[in-house]
Amino acid sequence: MKAFILRHFDLKISIYANRFASSFVSLHTASVPSSYPQNQSNFFTTFDPYEFLDESRNYTLEEIKIIHTHFLKTNSLHSNIQFANFLLRSYCKVSGFDYAHKLFDKIPQPDVTSWNLFITSQNRSSKYADSWRTFCRLHSFGLYPNESTYGHALSACVALNFVNGGKIVYSLALKHGFSLDGYIRSGMIDLFLKTCGLNDALRLFNDESCGNVVCWNAVISGAVRHNEDYVGLNLFQQMCRGFPSPNRFTFPSVFGACGKLRELELGRMVHGLAVKYGDQEDLVVGTAIVDFYAKCGQVNEALKKFSRMRIRNVVSWTAIITGFVQQDEFQAALQLFKEMIILNQEINNYTVTSVLSACANPLLFRESLQIHCWVYKTGFYSDPTVKNSLINVYSKIGAVALSEQVFEEMQDLINPSVYATMVTAFCQNGTIEKAFSLFKKMLVEGLTPDISCIPSLLSVTNRLELGQQIHCYTLKTGVLFNHLVGCSLFTMYSKCGCLNESYEIFKQIQDKDNVSWVSMISGFTEHGYAYQAVELFREMLLAKNVILDETTLAAFLATCSSLRFWKTGKEIHGIFIRQQDEMSVYSGSSLVNMYSRCGDLKSAKSLFNMMPFKDHISCSSLVSGYAQNGYIKEALHLFLDFRSSGLEVDSFTVSSILGAVGDLSHSDTGEGIGIGIQLHAYILKLGFESNVSVGSSLVMMYSKYGNLDDCLKVFNTIKTPDLISWTAMINSYAQHGKGLEALRVFELMKKSGTKPDAVTFVGVLTACSHSGLVKEGYTYLKSMVNDYGIEPGQRHYACMVDVLGRSGRLKEAERFIRNMAIEADALVWGTLLAACKVHGDAEIGKIAAEKFIELEPSSDGGYVAFSNICADMGQWEQVLKIRNEMKGTGIKKEPGWSYV
């Protein structure tokens, strides 16, 4: 063919021209019909340019350039605008935007189609500002745009977030009668959704009735993207009642809304419509259906739909895998991922992160390592999101060292989100120092910490100084008003006992949600400010956007329990019944606890029997309620009933029943210790002996029976003793006169890093008083103030008075009382009065008795004690006077009693 062309052209033609001619002839002969004359010598004289205007044929860029060249040679390009538009359209199809732009500049008189094609090419090459300028040129030339022109111009405005420009374009379209065009209206709706908000888009949509499915799809998908899912579903229902009918572009948004809202029944109906319209076979719609069922927890339905899909893509696979992960069916998720690899399916980073989240279980540590190796082999290890997932997975399974290794291997360490993940990993595994060190490193390197790591740091901060530093940082950076940060901050202050600071930050949060209210109410309740918690709950009822859900009401029930507000708790119970949903089933434990602590055991037992699902909290609450109200044997029988009925017995229930058994020591020592030993054997069988709460309860039970050796044995089996365990052991020794042993345990406690509280120091001072350790008593009293910042209370001062009184230092004890930082109560004066009786000091005893009687005028203890002192001293006239005073005030001496 090349030889044939060379015989008909000047021999000086270039080699490039030879190649061009050869290609062109091949192109032309391929496009002509079989009846076309095959006389190659007459090819150019018989060339018909209209034969190339076939839109159904897909030309390559080289072929379009050849056609373009011949159009120029034959002058066809300048004689007919159709040829120019054909070339513009063809260049756009093959993304030859630079050629299209140059061609447009050479067209002498472009028509509206030419301008539209030029604007399209600029939009497709992301030159949106140039596209807007081209539209302005078109309008300035006096040409009349059509609906396509306005649609392309609006697309440019959407990309540029150019609201005013979009409004101008829409006004012109409205003026020229194109406002009802679906392309134009949907473009304007998209612009409003992206820049102004959903309300403006809905206002535009509702201006005139619209039968164009594109507009309906735009506004429905926009509502779902703006998390106004119910608005989107309402629009879909309107669409189904009228015109137009939904299509395959409508259903994905609707299924997405149903999935987020977990509207299973509504989603099933939408599925039925998709089947009716024949759109469920579409790949995107089918994937949306799988994702919907997965989000609603119906993984079997999701798997059924997934298995029936003829074509699946990576989104479909990821949706079904994520569904199994969300339902904690990790093995099934891993098996699906294995099938993806075997079938050589496309896998993206979303699939990998979903599978990695399935491995966040200590039992799947081996699988985590295998996927880590696969990630490294396939190149996904370079993706920051995948590395973040690896860090998170290793953190959750307790392998924080591996998390740290992945973090150190990351090349792009300047990503704040990666730092945040690592900080959170350190926090979750208790390595607080490393977490703060890494946070400081971010600040030193000039990085802005990801806001998500600040709540993690605040959640593990138990030092007020560190929490205050983070507070200053949030003020400096302006993230204090972030809802999650603000909630974490006031919770930190509450945890550190700074309720005033906590409440001040709580008040600064603008849009308080249920979590904020519950956290603040719980903070007040836990720190003894239950009345303030009640007032806060009343304030919450008047607030907007607050839903009385299970968590909110359970928090307030805890407040009612601490205050013994039986009537108020019953009102809350009424709210549960009025809501008539499943909430009362799940909140039954809180109600049982409230009734039990308020002493209404009949209501507690009745409600417990009505609960379809009984948990360990409700069982423990009922047992504790009977025990605390003196029904010890009933509590034991209830515990046995739980065991025989097959209810799960956990450490909380066992601890409650141990406390009840300990109380039997006052009534029947033989029976009590026997039951206690049986319970101890049962605990060993369950494997609870190392549990800290069970161990502490056993220590206290054996202490009440005086078995200190058993106390020590049980204490040594506790895996990690906490403050309560240490305090129980100290009190056990202190109450039985083993003061030196109690103090040795206290020193061991300090060495272990456990910080003592006010109750611990009561035990320590009691040990000093029972062993006559006056000097040590003063030392520990000063230590609790200077070393731990604990202000002494009446019980601490009473212990110190007892230390002095037992040692016969009564005058020193009186001076100590008068120099106390707080006003002494009846307990302190009564302690001194008892010491005066032992040592026969009538003078100081009279002072102590007068003070005691003044503070407790209705008690017979002060009169009797002072009377006995006078009797021992032979002062019978004084004894008679005291007894006459008792008769005058109507006070009677309580008769003595004994178990024996």
Side-chain angles (χ1 to χ4, degrees):
M1 182 62 71
K2 183 182 291 186
F4 172 79
I5 294 298
L6 287 173
R7 288 199 298 270
H8 291 79
F9 280 83
D10 192 336
L11 293 176
K12 294 181 179 180
I13 193 167
S14 67
I15 298 300
Y16 177 79
N18 291 342
R19 291 177 180 174
F20 157 74
S22 175
S23 301
F24 183 79
V25 171
S26 301
L27 170 65
H28 181 71
T29 55
S31 62
V32 296
S34 58
S35 60
Y36 190 87
Q38 297 299 318
N39 186 354
Q40 299 290 348
S41 62
N42 297 325
F43 172 72
F44 289 109
T45 58
T46 60
F47 170 70
D48 183 7
Y50 287 96
E51 293 185 21
F52 292 96
L53 302 183
D54 183 9
E55 297 291 342
S56 63
R57 178 166 179 181
N58 294 321
Y59 297 102
T60 64
L61 179 61
E62 288 300 320
E63 290 173 340
I64 297 168
K65 287 161 65 177
I66 293 169
I67 298 171
H68 186 178
T69 304
H70 196 65
F71 279 172
L72 289 172
K73 180 176 177 61
T74 59
N75 205 29
S76 302
L77 193 61
H78 299 288
S79 62
N80 194 326
I81 193 64
Q82 293 183 17
F83 300 142
N85 292 341
F86 163 75
L87 287 172
L88 283 172
R89 192 176 294 108
S90 299
Y91 278 129
C92 287
K93 281 185 178 181
V94 297
S95 301
F97 303 120
D98 291 338
Y99 295 103
H101 297 173
K102 293 175 182 178
L103 172 61
F104 182 80
D105 292 336
K106 300 294 183 182
I107 300 175
Q109 291 183 334
D111 61 2
V112 174
T113 303
S114 308
W115 286 94
N116 288 347
L117 290 168
F118 185 46
I119 294 173
T120 301
S121 70
Q122 290 176 319
N123 283 345
R124 292 182 60 184
S125 59
S126 301
K127 296 180 179 179
Y128 301 109
D130 293 341
S131 177
W132 171 252
R133 283 191 286 268
T134 302
F135 174 77
C136 294
R137 283 173 55 200
L138 165 66
H139 192 265
S140 65
F141 289 159
L143 295 175
Y144 291 99
N146 58 19
E147 62 273 16
S148 296
T149 318
Y150 291 122
H152 297 325
L154 277 172
S155 297
C157 293
V158 170
L160 295 169
N161 291 338
F162 188 18
V163 183
N164 291 332
K167 290 180 178 179
I168 292 171
V169 173
Y170 189 73
S171 300
L172 291 171
L174 186 67
K175 178 181 178 181
H176 293 99
F178 295 117
S179 61
L180 294 180
D181 180 80
Y183 186 26
I184 296 173
R185 291 192 76 186
S186 63
M188 197 63 200
I189 289 170
D190 280 340
L191 179 60
F192 276 144
L193 286 169
K194 190 175 181 182
T195 56
C196 299
L198 180 61
N199 292 333
D200 291 318
L202 287 172
R203 195 158 40 244
L204 171 64
F205 177 77
N206 293 321
D207 278 345
E208 298 182 47
S209 60
C210 179
N212 191 291
V213 69
V214 178
C215 297
W216 283 91
N217 289 346
V219 73
I220 289 172
S221 64
V224 175
R225 285 199 308 271
H226 282 74
N227 295 319
E228 295 290 346
D229 302 295
Y230 282 112
V231 175
L233 293 176
N234 184 47
L235 286 167
F236 176 72
Q237 289 176 342
Q238 295 177 35
M239 185 181 187
C240 293
R241 288 195 294 265
F243 180 78
S245 299
N247 62 11
R248 61 191 181 91
F249 298 104
T250 315
F251 288 112
S253 299
V254 178
F255 280 120
C258 292
K260 284 195 287 183
L261 297 172
R262 295 183 176 273
E263 290 281 357
L264 180 60
E265 293 306 317
L266 180 58
R268 289 185 192 275
M269 289 189 283
V270 177
H271 188 180
L273 282 174
V275 173
K276 177 182 177 181
Y277 288 111
D279 290 322
Q280 73 156 347
E281 298 302 324
D282 180 79
L283 175 61
V284 179
V285 176
T287 301
I289 294 172
V290 171
D291 185 58
F292 155 70
Y293 281 120
K295 286 180 178 175
C296 290
Q298 304 294 314
V299 289
N300 291 332
E301 292 289 336
L303 188 60
K304 187 185 297 182
K305 172 59 185 172
F306 177 79
S307 62
R308 291 175 179 173
M309 293 176 66
R310 297 178 183 176
I311 302 174
R312 303 167 190 146
N313 62 4
V314 63
V315 182
S316 313
W317 283 94
T318 304
I320 189 66
I321 288 173
T322 304
F324 277 109
V325 172
Q326 290 172 348
Q327 295 301 309
D328 295 336
E329 297 191 24
F330 305 127
Q331 295 291 352
L334 292 173
Q335 183 62 36
L336 282 168
F337 181 65
K338 183 179 179 181
E339 287 184 26
M340 283 188 77
I341 297 174
I342 294 172
L343 296 173
N344 200 24
Q345 292 285 327
E346 179 191 355
I347 298 174
N348 61 19
N349 57 341
Y350 296 104
T351 317
V352 177
T353 54
S354 181
V355 172
L356 283 172
S357 63
C359 298
N361 187 316
L363 298 176
L364 298 175
F365 178 70
R366 184 164 171 253
E367 286 80 357
S368 302
L369 293 175
Q370 290 175 346
I371 294 177
H372 188 169
C373 295
W374 179 88
V375 163
Y376 195 86
K377 179 181 177 181
T378 54
F380 280 106
Y381 199 64
S382 60
D383 190 298
T385 58
V386 173
K387 285 190 174 180
N388 268 355
S389 296
L390 280 168
I391 292 172
N392 192 36
V393 165
Y394 285 134
S395 169
K396 288 184 177 179
I397 63 179
V400 70
L402 291 174
S403 294
E404 199 170 0
Q405 181 179 338
V406 174
F407 176 76
E408 291 173 353
E409 289 175 355
M410 295 187 70
Q411 296 178 358
D412 185 17
L413 289 180
I414 61 172
N415 189 344
S417 65
V418 178
Y419 272 98
T421 305
M422 196 64 235
V423 168
T424 304
F426 283 137
C427 292
Q428 289 174 345
N429 288 272
T431 50
I432 303 174
E433 293 182 0
K434 285 190 175 182
F436 276 95
S437 176
L438 190 59
F439 184 74
K440 291 177 183 177
K441 182 181 178 182
M442 292 178 69
L443 298 178
V444 170
E445 294 181 357
L447 294 176
T448 302
D450 192 295
I451 200 170
S452 63
C453 68
I454 296 177
S456 299
L457 289 169
L458 289 170
S459 67
V460 297
T461 304
N462 53 9
R463 290 172 53 191
L464 182 60
E465 182 182 356
L466 285 176
Q468 288 174 332
Q469 291 178 10
I470 297 176
H471 186 184
C472 293
Y473 173 78
T474 61
L475 287 171
K476 181 180 178 181
T477 55
V479 299
L480 172 63
F481 299 105
N482 176 274
H483 181 268
L484 188 59
V485 172
C487 187
S488 302
L489 194 58
F490 77 72
T491 303
M492 181 275 299
Y493 276 116
S494 175
K495 186 170 58 177
C496 293
C498 302
L499 268 296
N500 291 331
E501 291 83 352
S502 177
Y503 186 55
E504 286 301 319
I505 296 173
F506 170 78
K507 290 191 294 185
Q508 293 177 27
I509 298 176
Q510 297 296 324
D511 298 319
K512 303 178 182 68
D513 64 356
N514 283 24
V515 177
S516 305
W517 289 101
V518 168
S519 299
M520 196 66 245
I521 290 172
S522 300
F524 277 133
T525 304
E526 291 169 5
H527 289 84
Y529 296 91
Y531 286 100
Q532 287 84 342
V534 172
E535 292 300 320
L536 194 62
F537 181 75
R538 290 173 179 165
E539 184 182 337
M540 184 192 72
L541 294 177
L542 301 175
K544 296 179 180 178
N545 302 323
V546 174
I547 302 172
L548 292 178
D549 61 2
E550 173 201 355
T551 308
T552 312
L553 294 175
F556 187 63
L557 283 172
T559 305
C560 296
S561 301
S562 63
L563 290 173
R564 307 294 193 269
F565 276 7
W566 172 79
K567 184 177 179 181
T568 307
K570 207 166 187 179
E571 292 173 357
I572 298 299
H573 189 182
I575 294 176
F576 278 105
I577 297 173
R578 187 175 63 194
Q579 290 190 349
Q580 294 182 350
D581 57 14
E582 296 180 355
M583 190 183 301
S584 58
V585 173
Y586 298 110
S587 297
S589 301
S590 302
L591 286 166
V592 169
N593 182 56
M594 184 274 296
Y595 281 123
S596 298
R597 295 193 65 182
C598 292
D600 188 357
L601 298 177
K602 183 179 179 181
S603 297
K605 183 68 179 296
S606 175
L607 184 63
F608 178 83
N609 292 334
M610 292 170 59
M611 290 174 62
F613 304 104
K614 299 173 178 62
D615 57 8
H616 62 84
I617 299 176
S618 56
C619 296
S620 178
S621 298
L622 201 57
V623 170
S624 299
Y626 275 99
Q628 291 170 1
N629 286 277
Y631 300 99
I632 300 172
K633 292 188 177 181
E634 288 81 352
L636 288 169
H637 287 307
L638 195 61
F639 177 74
L640 293 175
D641 290 341
F642 291 158
R643 283 193 56 202
S644 60
S645 61
L647 286 174
E648 181 183 356
V649 177
D650 67 348
S651 58
F652 297 101
T653 313
V654 172
S655 298
S656 300
I657 199 64
L658 283 172
V661 172
D663 291 335
L664 283 175
S665 62
H666 299 300
S667 57
D668 193 335
T669 304
E671 181 185 6
I673 190 62
I675 295 174
I677 292 172
Q678 291 179 39
L679 279 172
H680 193 173
Y682 179 65
I683 289 167
L684 292 172
K685 181 180 178 181
L686 293 176
F688 288 161
E689 68 276 6
S690 61
N691 181 277
V692 64
S693 62
V694 174
S696 301
S697 299
L698 278 170
V699 168
M700 287 186 280
M701 182 199 73
Y702 280 121
S703 174
K704 288 177 181 179
Y705 291 112
N707 297 345
L708 295 184
D709 291 338
D710 290 331
C711 285
L712 183 60
K713 289 178 183 178
V714 171
F715 180 80
N716 290 331
T717 63
I718 300 174
K719 188 174 183 180
T720 308
D722 63 356
L723 176 62
I724 298 174
S725 308
W726 287 105
T727 303
M729 198 64 220
I730 291 169
N731 285 331
S732 298
Y733 279 127
Q735 294 294 336
H736 292 85
K738 304 285 187 178
L740 293 176
E741 287 85 347
L743 296 181
R744 276 196 291 269
V745 173
F746 179 68
E747 294 301 323
L748 289 173
M749 171 186 168
K750 290 195 296 182
K751 289 180 180 179
S752 71
T754 305
K755 184 179 178 181
D757 64 356
V759 179
T760 311
F761 275 104
V762 171
V764 170
L765 292 173
T766 301
C768 294
S769 67
H770 287 189
S771 300
L773 305 173
V774 178
K775 183 178 178 182
E776 288 81 356
Y778 276 120
T779 300
Y780 286 118
L781 187 66
K782 291 179 181 178
S783 174
M784 68 180 292
V785 178
N786 298 333
D787 298 336
Y788 301 100
I790 302 172
E791 291 298 326
Q794 298 289 354
R795 293 188 65 189
H796 301 101
Y797 287 122
C799 288
M800 196 62 217
V801 170
D802 192 41
V803 172
L804 297 171
R806 287 173 183 258
S807 301
R809 302 182 183 185
L810 300 179
K811 291 185 178 180
E812 186 178 346
E814 183 191 0
R815 286 196 302 271
F816 177 83
I817 294 174
R818 297 190 184 279
N819 293 327
M820 281 169 51
I822 57 177
E823 191 71 26
D825 66 356
L827 175 64
V828 176
W829 286 109
T831 304
L832 179 60
L833 181 59
C836 291
K837 181 180 182 303
V838 172
H839 294 283
D841 193 323
E843 182 181 353
I844 298 178
K846 181 179 180 181
I847 297 172
E850 289 174 350
K851 287 289 185 180
F852 182 86
I853 293 169
E854 180 183 340
L855 294 169
E856 293 284 345
S858 60
S859 174
D860 67 333
Y863 293 99
V864 173
F866 187 46
S867 173
N868 290 337
I869 293 174
C870 294
D872 292 340
M873 300 292 295
Q875 299 176 2
W876 297 108
E877 293 181 0
Q878 187 67 25
V879 172
L880 184 62
K881 182 179 177 182
I882 294 170
R883 290 182 177 178
N884 289 332
E885 287 181 3
M886 288 181 66
K887 290 180 182 179
T889 55
I891 298 174
K892 294 183 180 181
K893 180 181 179 297
E894 289 290 333
W897 57 273
S898 172
Y899 280 123
V900 180

